[in-house]
């Protein structure tokens, strides 16, 4: 059954209940695009072009995340009816699917906008670190990506997507801390003008290591 429309999983905006994850996803993308543009401006690249490229990549990532989720759960959607694919209330995303369209599109956008690809990725890496924190905050409110149940000292009372509160491993908060730490390191290293592509590779390694540890 569909969980009740209520805070904290839903925010009431202009008389309509909106899922909290969607709200923070929009905030994360907005902040990520602005931060990417700011980093671009600091190295002499048009912030408007960088912002446009980052926004296009973000939108393509949303499409990829949805498509990947649908492919993983194709059997379920065949039985429930393909019309449910377009039901905005059903949700369903997979962050790993976002990488599939973002990677080729980023190189295409860099070429179209006349930005060196390595510099494009460096700037976008800073934006991803800034936006990722807010996207994970949406997970906290929504109850998705929740940690397993635990009796350990590190446990916190957190709800899942069904509103059930239990003492769980605070996976969302741990990843938010990881994003903040990555952002702090990125800011400290940015003025050093390391070779192009170094920052993007660092962000990839930082996220990959953190994800491996959390999983």
């Amino acid at each position: 059954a569909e969980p009740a429309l209520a805070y904290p999983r839903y925010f009431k905006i202009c008389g309509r209940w909106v899922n909290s994850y969607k709200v923070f996803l929009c905030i994360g993308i907005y902040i990520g695009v602005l931060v990417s543009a700011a980093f671009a401006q600091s190295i002499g690249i048009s912030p408007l072009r960088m912002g446009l490229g980052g926004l296009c990549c973000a939108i393509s990532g949303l499409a990829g995340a949805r498509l990947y989720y649908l492919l993983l759960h194709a059997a379920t959607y065949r039985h429930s009816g393909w019309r449910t694919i377009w039901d905005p209330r059903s949700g369903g995303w997979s962050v790993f699917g976002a990488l599939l369209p973002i990677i080729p599109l980023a190189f295409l956008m860099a070429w179209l906008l006349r930005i060196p690809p390595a510099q494009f990725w460096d700037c976008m890496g800073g934006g991803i670190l800034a936006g990722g924190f807010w996207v994970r905050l949406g997970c906290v409110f929504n109850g998705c990506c929740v940690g397993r149940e635990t009796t350990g000292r590190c446990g916190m009372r957190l709800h899942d997507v069904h509103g059930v509160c239990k003492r769980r491993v605070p996976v969302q908060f741990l990843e938010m801390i990881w994003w903040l730490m990555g952002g702090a390191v990125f800011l400290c290293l940015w003025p050093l003008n390391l070779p192009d592509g170094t920052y993007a590779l660092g962000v990839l390694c930082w996220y990959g290591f953190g994800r491996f540890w959390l999983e």
Side-chain angles (χ1 to χ4, degrees), residues 1-148:
E2 186 74 17
L5 301 180
Y7 181 86
R9 289 203 64 228
Y10 292 85
F11 297 159
K12 200 165 190 178
I13 302 175
C14 298
R16 295 180 62 88
W17 289 102
V18 182
N19 182 262
S20 55
Y21 182 80
K22 294 179 181 179
V23 173
F24 283 105
L25 178 63
C26 291
I27 293 174
I29 291 175
Y30 177 72
I31 292 176
V33 169
L34 290 182
V35 170
S36 297
F39 279 122
Q41 187 175 29
S42 71
I43 57 175
I45 296 174
S46 167
L48 182 60
R49 283 187 288 156
M50 184 65 223
L52 175 61
L55 180 61
C56 289
C57 288
I59 293 174
S60 72
L62 296 178
R66 178 61 174 171
L67 180 60
Y68 186 68
Y69 176 86
L70 293 175
L71 290 175
L72 290 178
H73 299 85
T76 301
Y77 281 95
R78 278 200 301 268
H79 289 99
S80 61
W82 288 102
R83 290 184 179 180
T84 56
I85 292 176
W86 311 110
D87 185 357
R89 298 169 299 176
S90 64
W93 303 81
S94 179
V95 67
F96 298 111
L99 295 174
L100 299 178
I102 285 179
I103 293 176
L105 184 63
F107 287 101
L108 176 61
M109 293 304 300
W111 176 72
L112 291 174
L113 298 170
R114 301 190 301 278
I115 301 175
Q119 292 183 353
F120 185 90
W121 274 105
D122 282 344
C123 295
M124 196 160 69
I128 290 172
L129 287 172
F133 172 89
W134 298 97
V135 175
R136 269 294 172 258
L137 183 58
C139 294
V140 175
F141 279 85
N142 187 42
C144 54
C145 304
V146 69
R148 61 178 173 79

Side-chain angles (χ1 to χ4, degrees), residues 198-215:
T198 302
Y199 299 97
L201 181 60
V203 171
L204 179 63
C205 293
W206 184 268
Y207 176 76
F209 179 76
R211 172 56 57 184
F212 178 81
W213 175 66
L214 288 172
E215 291 290 346

